[in-house]
Amino acid sequence: MWNLKKPSLASIRSDLDILFPEGTGDGISEGDKLKVLELYDEYEEGLGEPDPGWKTRLLSNESRDLLLAAYGEVSDKGELSLLRAALKREAKKCPYCGFGEIRDLDHHLPKQHYKCFSVFALNLVPSCSKCNGHKPRTPPTARDKYHIHAYLDDVSGLNFLVADIEISDNALSVIFRIEKRRGMSDELTRRLKQHLKDFRLNERYVAQITNYLESQETGLDDNFKLGGAAGVRAYLLRTAESNRRTNGPNDWRGALVVALAESEEFCDGGFYDVLGFT
Ligand SMILES: [Zn+2]
């Protein structure tokens, strides 16, 4: 969740040539292609943070519209199907929610606003359809609302996702939140909070939590019978560590399991009632 390996940019020039072959007289000229590459450089250097100047500088509106229309070729049967496949191959799960199946390519900077990056690999983030649908179509103007860039905002060295749990009448409720850690600016903290809000993660995790905990049933049961509450706690902490290695430090499952390990009630057999199994 949150970050994906940065894609190769080796084909960005040849991608433009495939879309707009030289010598055809229409499409984007050689001079404009160099300007597009200049904008790509600026995007990468600016970590994909929206610069309104990119909507008007260097390129004509006509060229921008051609780039926007060219995104149709970044489809399964389009001229840039290989680019689409290569980007999707790098993501096992949606980087925005951490559980959704990869179906779409989300434009980090929306293509209707930033047409010049419509086919730029760094602006194309593999995602699930729900996250793609929930993301606001208008890019935020306030810096503390900028979305986390899955390729360029490296947050993998921080540990900020925390779950708060409550058990009441044998029902488990979970709220995920962002905890400001040392080394995190106020701005980054607010951006991460905005991410939870925009992708409606707390609402969408409810069903996922049930599925996930059901998959832990045997492990919880076996460890309780062998070692009681301490056995369950140790099992949950081992599970959290294993999840951290697989899914990174800010995965919702890891945060959930750490919170459950801290609950005496859950570990001391409460999980049987909470999860509805005996
Ligand atoms: Zn998603």
Side-chain angles (χ1 to χ4, degrees), residues 101-247:
E101 185 189 351
I102 300 294
R103 305 288 296 238
D104 299 351
L105 290 179
D106 171 58
H107 285 82
H108 175 76
L109 294 183
K111 62 183 184 300
Q112 292 294 346
H113 292 261
Y114 290 92
K115 298 175 184 176
C116 55
F117 303 123
S118 295
V119 299
F120 182 32
L122 272 188
N123 198 44
L124 301 175
V125 180
S127 75
C128 75
S129 298
K130 282 228 160 126
C131 284
N132 196 16
H134 284 313
K135 191 174 156 199
R137 291 291 151 218
T138 304
T141 50
R143 290 187 62 85
D144 59 1
K145 289 196 163 76
Y146 287 175
H147 289 117
I148 302 296
H149 200 302
Y151 301 132
L152 299 175
D153 283 315
D154 182 6
V155 294
S156 59
L158 304 165
N159 182 7
F160 49 76
L161 189 69
V162 173
D164 292 328
I165 67 164
E166 195 178 303
I167 298 172
S168 175
D169 294 334
N170 295 332
L172 174 71
S173 58
V174 185
I175 298 286
F176 291 92
R177 64 181 169 81
I178 303 298
E179 177 100 358
K180 185 173 186 288
R181 305 288 192 191
R182 194 144 47 122
M184 280 170 61
S185 65
D186 289 343
E187 183 180 290
L188 176 62
T189 307
R190 285 196 290 269
R191 289 175 66 196
L192 292 163
K193 288 179 180 176
Q194 189 70 30
H195 181 110
L196 288 188
K197 190 174 161 203
D198 281 346
F199 292 104
R200 301 183 196 174
L201 293 186
N202 269 307
E203 295 159 54
R204 293 171 57 213
Y205 280 144
V206 174
Q208 298 302 319
I209 288 168
T210 304
N211 289 341
Y212 177 67
L213 290 180
E214 280 173 4
S215 75
Q216 301 296 320
E217 178 180 334
T218 306
L220 291 167
D221 186 34
D222 286 353
N223 281 282
F224 186 69
K225 283 172 179 158
L226 282 169
V232 169
R233 183 169 297 111
Y235 168 71
L236 289 170
L237 292 175
R238 285 197 304 278
T239 303
E241 179 54 25
S242 163
N243 183 71
R244 193 190 64 77
R245 284 195 299 271
T246 308
N247 297 312

